[in-house]
Amino acid sequence: MTLDLDRVDAAWLAGLLDGEGCFDAPRGNPRVRVKMTDFDVILRAADLMQAKTHPEIVPDRKPLLVAQITGEPAVAVLHAILPFLGSRRSARATEIIVAQRQKAARHPARRLTLASAA
């Protein structure tokens, strides 16, 4: 999967995710996630990432909206925003990308789909 973001959108998304997002890989599955009470911001991020959204309700708190994407699409997002991330998030994004490439090398049937994300 490739993500077609122009430079401005990629930089905006990177800024948001660098400050408010989470990059991880639970059980080896890459994930990019961001949540906040500013629904318009989350909806824009979800649109740019081609992510799904869902509400998160915490008693006695403002409702949150979560945008999350997993798997190869998450790796495509990380590739798109990598040049704009700060050093700490850039290192984490690179770890996830490299781990996914190594996983693909161990599973040749998946290699073709991952190659299209690069």
Side-chain angles (χ1 to χ4, degrees):
M1 173 187 175
T2 56
L3 197 62
D4 188 28
L5 292 179
D6 66 32
R7 189 169 172 78
V8 171
D9 286 338
W12 180 88
L13 185 59
L16 176 69
L17 294 174
D18 204 344
E20 300 292 331
C22 174
F23 313 149
D24 59 3
R27 295 177 302 282
N29 189 31
R31 176 172 64 179
V32 176
R33 179 172 56 149
V34 61
K35 61 183 174 180
M36 61 174 41
T37 60
D38 298 319
F39 286 21
D40 59 327
V41 174
I42 295 300
L43 290 172
R44 180 175 180 205
D47 183 52
L48 293 175
M49 294 191 299
Q50 301 172 10
K52 295 184 180 196
T53 61
H54 64 271
E56 185 175 296
I57 308 299
V58 178
D60 301 322
R61 304 288 304 257
K62 289 174 80 175
L64 296 166
L65 190 62
V66 180
Q68 177 173 296
I69 194 161
T70 60
E72 293 174 28
V75 172
V77 168
L78 294 175
H79 272 290
I81 66 172
L82 190 60
F84 304 103
L85 293 172
S87 59
R88 184 174 65 90
R89 296 292 186 140
S90 179
R92 182 63 179 134
T94 300
E95 279 178 31
I96 293 168
I97 292 167
V98 168
Q100 190 69 5
R101 284 187 181 155
Q102 290 171 345
K103 183 178 171 183
R106 291 189 305 268
H107 303 284
R110 294 189 40 152
R111 192 174 305 151
L112 290 176
T113 57
L114 281 176
S116 65

